[in-house]
Amino acid sequence: MNIEAPTPTTAELLSSAMDLEWARLHDMLSLAEAMRTGAALDNDFANRFAALSASVSETRAAGSWQRLSAMISGDVLEQLTPQDLDLMALALAPVARPAFAPRIQSLQPQLGTPWPGLAFVQELLMLETSVEIAALIARLTPTSPLVASGLLKIEGTTPSQTLRPGPVLIRIMLDRDPELSPPPGASLSTLRGTWDQLVLPAPTLRQLREFGAWVEHRHAMTRDWGARAVHGPLALFSGASGTGKSFAATVLATELGERTGEPWALYSLDLGRIMSKYVGETEKNLNALLDSLEGRNAILQIDEADGLLGKRGEVSDARDRYANLEVSHMLARFERHSGPVILTTNLRANVDPAFLRRFQLVVDFPTPDDVARAALWKVLLPPKAPLAKRVELETLGAAVRLSGGSIANAATYAAVLAYADDGTIDLPHIARAIWAELTKDTRQVRPSEIGYLAEFLEATQ
C-alpha cells in the first residue's frame, strides 16, 4: 500500500521556520550561560550554531516572517531590517517558548524579569562598537517602525529598559491571545447566539452586521489599502431594558468566530468594579483592563453605562472637575483601544451630545411590536417542546406588551410549568408565566392587562 504523507500547509511551514528561530535562540542562551558559569560547550557547538544561523537567514529570505503582512502595512514591513527580526524573536521568546523565561531572567538577575533588557540584547547580538549600539537604540525609539507599529514595547527607564512583544506581534506570529487569564474586572460570557434568534428591525440588523464587518476587515484595510490603523469600533447600543442589546453582543461574538475561523470571547464589564473614589485609581484599573485585552479576539461590553454617559453638570468644586475629567479619560481610552467595545444605555436622550461623536456606531434597539413579539415567542419557547393547538403565537404577541427579555423569562417559566405538569405548553402555563413577569415590581397589575389570557390565569389560581 502506497501512503503518501500529507502536503504541509503554509501555517505548518511557517511554524517549522520559526522553530529554527527558537533553536538558534536556545543556542545563544546556552552560550551566554556557559560564559557565566565557565561550563564547556560540546565540540560541535560552533558548527551547529553556524548552520542554524545560515538556516534562519534562508528561511527569513523565503518569508518566515510573512505573517506580519496580515496586520502590518507594507510601508512598515519594507523598513524592517534583519536586526529588527532578531529583536522581535528575542522579545517573543518568553511567550513562544515559556521554558526560555527563567533562563533569560537568571542571565540578567539585576532586572528580575524574563523580558530581555538592552544590555542582554547587546550581549546576545554581539554588538561591540559605538556605531552598532547606536544603531540598536535607533531601532527602538518611539518613532521607529517596530515601536510605532506596536510590534515591540519598550518598558522601564535607562539603563534597565526591557523589550516586550506588543499584543499584535503575539497575535500575528504565534496565533494566540497575548494573555490567558481573564481581564481584571471583566466576566466572560459563555452564551452563544445566532442571527435567526435575534428578532430586530432590518435597519438595526444591518448596523449590527456592519459592526462585524468593521472588526473583520479593519486590519486588511491597513494591509491592502494603506489605510491608517483602524481601531474598534466603539459602539453605543441604545434601547429600553430587554430589547436585545446584550444578546446582540453575544450574536456578534459568535458570528465573528465563524467568519474568522477563530474563537471570539465576549467580556462583560460592571463599571462598579473598576470605578474608585480614590484619585487616579479608576484610570489605573481601566488601563489594566484594556491593556490585558489588547491583541485578544474579544469584545468588551459595558452594560448600563448611563451614569458614565450622562450630561455633565456645572463644575462647582475640584470633585466635579475631576469627575468630568475621569469620564472623558474613560471614553478616550475606550476610543484608543484597538478592539471592539460596546456600551449599552437605556436612555439615549440622557447621553451627553459631546460624547456621541466618540462612537463609530450608534445602534437603536426599538421596543418590539406585535409581529416582533410573536416572532420572539416562537424563537424563545423550547423548539422541541409540544405546544397545545390553541396556542396561537400571533394572538399571544398582540395580547401582552412585553420586552424581548421579559418574553425570554416568561417562555422559560411556561416551559418549566408545562414540563412539571403534563408535558404540553398550554395557555394556562403561559398566562401564569406572564403574570409572574408582570408582577415582579411593586405596581398593581390588573388581569385585564393580559387580555384573553386572564381567563386561563383564573383557572390556575
Side-chain angles (χ1 to χ4, degrees), residues 195-216:
W195 289 110
D196 58 352
Q197 296 174 308
L198 199 56
V199 180
L200 290 168
T204 303
L205 289 173
R206 182 176 63 250
Q207 282 188 291
L208 293 176
R209 293 185 185 277
E210 289 167 354
F211 179 103
W214 183 301
V215 177
E216 182 182 6

Side-chain angles (χ1 to χ4, degrees), residues 4 96 114 232 269 271 275 311 352 385:
E4 296 183 359
L269 172 65
L271 281 173
M275 296 189 76
K311 293 182 174 65
D352 191 323

Side-chain angles (χ1 to χ4, degrees), residues 198-204 240 242-244 365-378 380 393-405 407:
L198 199 56
V199 180
L200 290 168
T204 303
T243 51
F365 288 73
T367 301
D369 58 15
D370 294 356
V371 175
R373 286 193 294 270
L376 284 166
W377 278 107
K378 182 177 181 180
L380 295 171
L393 299 183
E394 291 77 9
T395 306
L396 182 60
V400 188
R401 294 184 177 181
L402 294 176
S403 68
I407 292 175

Side-chain angles (χ1 to χ4, degrees), residues 6-61:
T7 303
T9 64
T10 301
E12 291 171 338
L13 291 173
L14 291 176
S15 294
S16 297
M18 293 306 295
D19 284 341
L20 292 174
E21 296 273 1
W22 313 132
R24 174 174 174 258
L25 185 53
H26 165 77
D27 280 2
M28 293 168 72
L29 294 177
S30 297
L31 177 59
E33 289 164 342
M35 293 176 65
R36 299 285 198 285
T37 62
L41 295 168
D42 62 82
N43 295 331
D44 193 43
F45 179 86
N47 292 332
R48 184 173 68 250
F49 183 73
L52 266 176
S53 297
S55 297
V56 167
S57 297
E58 291 174 3
T59 56
R60 286 180 177 181

Side-chain angles (χ1 to χ4, degrees), residues 52-271:
L52 266 176
S53 297
S55 297
V56 167
S57 297
E58 291 174 3
T59 56
R60 286 180 177 181
S64 60
W65 289 80
Q66 70 181 35
R67 286 178 177 172
L68 292 174
S69 63
M71 295 186 186
I72 304 301
S73 68
D75 291 341
V76 172
L77 295 180
E78 289 177 0
Q79 299 177 56
L80 297 183
T81 66
Q83 187 178 80
D84 290 335
L85 301 185
D86 286 335
L87 294 174
M88 286 190 287
L90 285 170
L92 275 174
V95 184
R97 294 292 185 270
F100 286 169
R103 297 177 65 186
I104 294 174
Q105 184 162 334
S106 67
L107 287 167
Q108 47 180 18
Q110 77 282 7
L111 296 183
T113 175
W115 306 113
L118 290 185
F120 189 53
V121 170
Q122 177 191 345
E123 177 185 354
L124 290 186
L125 298 184
M126 301 180 185
L127 306 178
E128 299 287 345
T129 68
S130 299
V131 173
E132 291 174 331
I133 295 172
L136 169 65
I137 300 302
R139 305 309 295 175
L140 299 175
T141 61
T143 56
S144 67
L146 285 178
V147 179
S149 63
L151 292 170
L152 285 187
K153 296 195 296 184
I154 311 301
E155 298 185 343
T157 57
T158 304
S160 303
Q161 292 172 313
T162 57
L163 275 63
R164 290 192 65 163
V168 66
L169 181 60
I170 298 174
R171 165 57 58 190
I172 298 172
M173 295 306 301
L174 303 183
D175 195 24
R176 69 176 74 159
D177 283 344
E179 299 289 344
L180 298 179
S181 59
S187 302
L188 175 66
S189 172
T190 57
L191 298 176
R192 287 294 178 263
T194 57
W195 289 110
D196 58 352
Q197 296 174 308
L198 199 56
V199 180
L200 290 168
T204 303
L205 289 173
R206 182 176 63 250
Q207 282 188 291
L208 293 176
R209 293 185 185 277
E210 289 167 354
F211 179 103
W214 183 301
V215 177
E216 182 182 6
H217 301 303
R218 55 198 168 128
H219 296 305
M221 286 198 308
T222 299
R223 179 193 66 212
D224 299 337
W225 287 0
R228 62 182 176 84
V230 180
H231 291 176
L234 177 61
L236 177 66
F237 286 5
S238 172
S241 178
T243 51
K245 301 185 296 295
S246 296
F247 186 67
T250 297
V251 172
L252 286 169
T254 305
E255 171 75 2
L256 283 169
E258 294 175 353
R259 291 173 69 167
T260 63
E262 299 177 340
W264 274 75
L266 173 63
Y267 288 103
S268 180
L269 172 65
D270 179 357
L271 281 173

Side-chain angles (χ1 to χ4, degrees), residues 229-364:
V230 180
H231 291 176
L234 177 61
L236 177 66
F237 286 5
S238 172
S241 178
T243 51
K245 301 185 296 295
S246 296
F247 186 67
T250 297
V251 172
L252 286 169
T254 305
E255 171 75 2
L256 283 169
E258 294 175 353
R259 291 173 69 167
T260 63
E262 299 177 340
W264 274 75
L266 173 63
Y267 288 103
S268 180
L269 172 65
D270 179 357
L271 281 173
R273 297 179 65 181
I274 65 168
M275 296 189 76
S276 172
K277 63 181 180 180
Y278 298 106
V279 174
E281 282 299 308
T282 297
E283 292 87 341
K284 179 181 177 181
N285 294 339
L286 179 63
N287 289 336
L289 167 68
L290 295 179
D291 286 347
S292 176
L293 281 171
E294 285 293 341
R296 299 196 196 202
N297 287 342
I299 298 173
L300 177 63
Q301 176 185 350
I302 299 97
D303 281 324
E304 298 182 3
D306 304 82
L308 175 65
L309 300 172
K311 293 182 174 65
R312 291 169 286 187
E314 295 183 3
V315 176
S316 59
D317 55 25
R319 183 178 304 175
D320 293 337
R321 185 178 298 106
Y322 174 72
N324 286 342
L325 288 173
E326 185 179 71
V327 171
S328 296
H329 168 82
M330 293 181 72
L331 289 174
R333 188 63 180 85
F334 286 138
E335 194 176 13
R336 293 197 308 272
H337 177 58
S338 64
V341 178
I342 298 170
L343 279 72
T344 70
T345 177
N346 295 338
L347 298 170
R348 178 176 171 180
N350 289 350
V351 176
D352 191 323
F355 293 152
L356 287 176
R357 69 170 183 81
R358 295 185 180 273
F359 293 95
Q360 282 82 43
L361 286 170
V362 178
V363 185
D364 288 315

